[in-house]
Amino acid sequence: MTEPLLCDLSAPGRVAMRFPEPDVPLAELPSLLREDLPLPELSEVDVVRHFTRLSKLNYSIDQGMYPLGSCTMKYNPKINEAMARLPGFALTHPLQPIETVQGNLLLMYELQEWLAEIGGFAGVTLQPAAGAQGELTGVLIIRVYHDARQDFKRTKILIPDSAHGTNPATSAMSGMQVVELKSDERGNVNLEALKSHCDETLAGLMLTNPNTLGLFDENVIEVCRLVHETGGLIYGDGANMNALLGVVRPGELGIDVMHYNLHKTFSTPHGGGGPGSGPVGVAAHLVDFLPYPVVDIIEEGDEELPPLFGLVRPKQSIGRVKSFHGQFGMMVRAYTYLRMHGPEGLRMIAEHAVLNANYLMHLLKGHYHLPYDRICMHEFVVEGQWDDAPDIHALDISKRMMDYNLHPPTNYFPLIVHEALMIEPTETESKQTLDRFVEVMLEIAREAHETPEVLKSAPHITPVGRLDEVKAAKELVLCCGVGSPSD
Ligand SMILES: *Cc1c(COP(=O)(O)O)cnc(C)c1O
């Protein structure tokens, strides 16, 4: 049955709401609506059913496993939402006098402190609104650090070929020259390639560790040493912190500046469910460059009075990177998550995330080609193609997974793996769920060899089949009367 369009349900005079009798004289309004706008007229039940039907077409973490590598799609605990909705948090305004928002500032202060503790850093800004904006903030800090030392030649940023696309993008936006660094056959930074780029133009290196292959870089200490010796700084892409929580402090490995993704590691929702948040931690020599404002104690307390928190400007601040103070609601959610787990719980998150990934990798190995065959961290990458089923691509496998009510993994990233399928189960999936995932993946591998056309024509149970994704993004059809669903 095809879904009815809202305009088909429309009937003149149908309305979904009733206004109370006006208690003021009616005034003529200028006509604000376009005369030809074909707005459907609908009853309340039509509207509710329409949006409920749409919501059921969606897939979410509340519905099933979401093994989207690099994204850490863990379950978002509902208590986070309850806390963020407390009126004392939800109804405050960023321009309120600080005396009236001491609770909010205390929460931000403690979150800064805890993130610094977890990452091994001296200072943290909560301002950036996403990992990518954290990267931009961090690279700008690196740039200003060199400038402040009158070291203007340093304009080169090294980025491994396994890196997320945001790394070269933010470096280029910061006015840096991006140089790609090859990985070695074990998936680590290639030390020989690194040495050949170590000169007086080196501003820094962006390192994702564990990297996007899900592998802990075995050369990380040496990489940091080589870059520091040359006068450069290390930017840590902290998107994969879920593998390290409570186990490794990146600051102690030699990372100078790193972003955290609250929407990955610290259980705040991704994308449509809420804005992102990408706080940045820095080592002591970069604290003065942090964006303005950071939360600090501006008046020590005593036996009678608690300390007074305020917003301060670091001495050589790069300035603001976002209006007001960042995504406060996300800070409340991450704070709740941290308090719920405590230090022991955080370490268990990392341990279980790594255990779950290795469990899946072990069971899939032999059925899917594993290009980097060594113990993984919180995720791993397999190839979505077989020598004896060469017509099948990673995309066919992913589309077929939808028929089994599973969200596909990340496809075609990292770029250095042929037909990449990047799988990250996270710690919040049970053994039963992981076992079912494996069962489906093995069934699909069998189908790929025996009935490949089933994969080629998948998905079969979704309202639409394979879309021209480029066309769909460029030529959105959002309302009825413009185009038709068959276009
Ligand atoms: C997700 C991710 C980013 C970017 O973070 P956003 O919050 O999506 O902007 C950067 N690097 C890696 C490795 C990531 O997985």
Side-chain angles (χ1 to χ4, degrees):
M1 195 182 82
T2 52
E3 300 290 329
L5 289 171
L6 271 188
C7 47
D8 298 337
L9 296 174
S10 178
R14 248 178 222 170
V15 284
M17 61 197 307
R18 227 173 291 168
F19 292 105
E21 283 298 313
D23 56 0
V24 291
L26 290 179
E28 271 306 308
L29 276 182
S31 174
L32 297 174
L33 291 181
R34 284 202 324 254
E35 289 295 325
D36 60 345
L37 199 60
L39 286 179
E41 295 180 68
L42 300 161
S43 67
E44 180 176 316
V45 65
D46 291 333
V47 175
V48 168
R49 285 184 183 158
H50 173 72
F51 285 107
T52 304
R53 204 161 40 229
L54 286 183
S55 76
K56 289 207 269 187
L57 298 178
N58 208 351
Y59 187 92
S60 75
I61 192 67
D62 288 347
Q63 190 178 334
M65 182 184 180
Y66 219 123
L68 206 56
S70 213
C71 295
T72 313
M73 304 296 286
K74 62 173 71 181
Y75 172 67
N76 309 130
K78 296 300 166 248
I79 189 170
N80 292 354
E81 301 305 313
M83 294 304 107
R85 282 165 177 73
L86 288 175
F89 292 134
L91 302 183
T92 43
H93 190 282
L95 291 179
Q96 264 175 251
I98 57 159
E99 293 75 16
T100 66
V101 288
Q102 284 296 303
N104 299 27
L105 293 176
L106 170 66
L107 182 143
M108 291 172 73
Y109 180 79
E110 290 194 339
L111 185 59
Q112 286 173 189
E113 297 281 297
W114 295 344
L115 289 177
E117 170 72 16
I118 288 167
F121 293 110
V124 165
T125 170
L126 300 174
Q127 232 181 71
Q133 205 193 7
E135 290 173 37
L136 182 67
T137 305
V139 179
L140 286 174
I141 288 175
I142 291 178
R143 183 177 159 166
V144 171
Y145 167 83
H146 292 306
D147 284 355
R149 296 155 58 95
Q150 311 284 313
D151 196 352
F152 299 115
K153 291 186 304 299
R154 297 191 181 269
T155 54
K156 184 171 69 180
I157 294 267
L158 302 177
I159 302 182
D161 54 7
S162 58
H164 195 269
T166 49
N167 289 193
T170 49
S171 296
M173 283 172 74
S174 309
M176 295 294 193
Q177 180 206 349
V178 176
V179 177
E180 186 181 273
L181 207 53
K182 288 264 169 278
S183 301
D184 69 14
E185 67 286 350
R186 286 182 62 77
N188 300 317
V189 167
N190 184 324
L191 291 178
E192 290 316 307
L194 171 58
K195 282 179 196 155
S196 74
H197 290 296
C198 283
D199 56 35
E200 75 287 350
T201 67
L202 183 64
L205 178 148
M206 291 184 96
L207 188 70
T208 311
N209 190 34
N211 64 23
T212 62
L213 296 163
L215 302 174
F216 193 89
D217 196 303
E218 296 159 309
N219 301 328
V220 59
I221 302 285
E222 183 65 2
V223 168
C224 294
R225 196 185 63 77
L226 283 169
V227 171
H228 286 152
E229 237 175 46
T230 317
L233 297 181
I234 304 275
Y235 182 89
D237 180 328
N240 295 338
M241 264 309 281
N242 213 43
L244 305 185
L245 280 182
V247 183
V248 175
R249 286 195 185 92
E252 289 175 5
L253 295 176
I255 309 289
D256 298 285
V257 42
M258 182 189 91
H259 77 260
Y260 307 77
N261 301 66
L262 298 191
H263 46 291
K264 294 179 181 171
T265 315
F266 299 102
S267 83
T268 70
H270 288 59
S277 180
V280 170
V282 292
H285 49 282
L286 300 177
V287 166
D288 285 346
F289 301 106
L290 282 174
Y292 160 82
V294 289
V295 179
D296 208 349
I297 296 174
I298 54 173
E299 244 175 68
E300 290 297 339
D302 56 32
E303 270 145 44
E304 271 150 46
L305 283 176
L308 184 71
F309 293 94
L311 299 165
V312 302
R313 183 183 194 109
K315 280 204 245 10
Q316 291 169 279
S317 175
I318 61 165
R320 278 188 177 279
V321 296
K322 171 130 184 38
S323 56
F324 299 119
H325 318 318
Q327 312 283 24
F328 181 69
M330 295 303 135
M331 297 172 204
V332 179
R333 289 170 174 86
Y335 180 92
T336 305
Y337 185 72
L338 283 166
R339 292 217 55 168
M340 248 170 55
H341 287 280
E344 297 301 318
L346 290 179
R347 190 186 168 99
M348 263 164 60
I349 288 168
E351 287 172 351
H352 288 168
V354 171
L355 182 64
N356 281 0
N358 277 283
Y359 180 67
L360 287 190
M361 183 179 82
H362 181 76
L363 292 176
L364 293 184
K365 194 168 128 177
H367 302 272
Y368 288 81
H369 180 57
L370 183 67
Y372 296 88
D373 187 2
R374 62 179 170 102
I375 289 181
C376 68
M377 297 296 286
H378 63 307
E379 63 191 354
F380 60 99
V381 185
V382 296
E383 284 184 13
Q385 199 168 42
W386 295 268
D387 287 343
D388 52 356
D391 292 340
I392 295 295
H393 297 277
L395 187 70
D396 303 317
I397 296 169
S398 285
K399 295 292 184 196
R400 182 62 177 150
M401 288 172 76
M402 296 165 77
D403 287 339
Y404 291 95
N405 286 310
L406 271 178
H407 194 284
T410 297
N411 276 218
Y412 301 112
F413 176 73
L415 303 176
I416 55 173
V417 174
H418 174 70
E419 297 287 337
L421 287 172
M422 185 191 208
I423 300 168
E424 178 180 8
T426 83
E427 73 284 0
T428 54
E429 298 307 329
S430 66
K431 180 170 179 297
Q432 285 81 352
T433 307
L434 299 180
D435 285 339
R436 177 171 128 72
F437 176 82
V438 171
E439 211 176 283
V440 170
M441 291 300 282
L442 298 195
E443 177 65 14
I444 292 176
R446 195 183 57 73
E447 291 174 345
H449 291 84
E450 293 172 10
T451 51
E453 60 292 347
V454 181
L455 270 69
K456 284 284 170 201
S457 52
H460 303 104
I461 64 163
T462 51
V464 289
R466 294 204 191 186
L467 299 171
D468 180 339
E469 288 169 16
V470 177
K471 189 167 192 279
K474 293 206 165 153
E475 295 171 33
L476 283 181
V477 179
L478 293 177
C479 50
C480 50
V482 186
S484 77
S486 60
D487 285 350

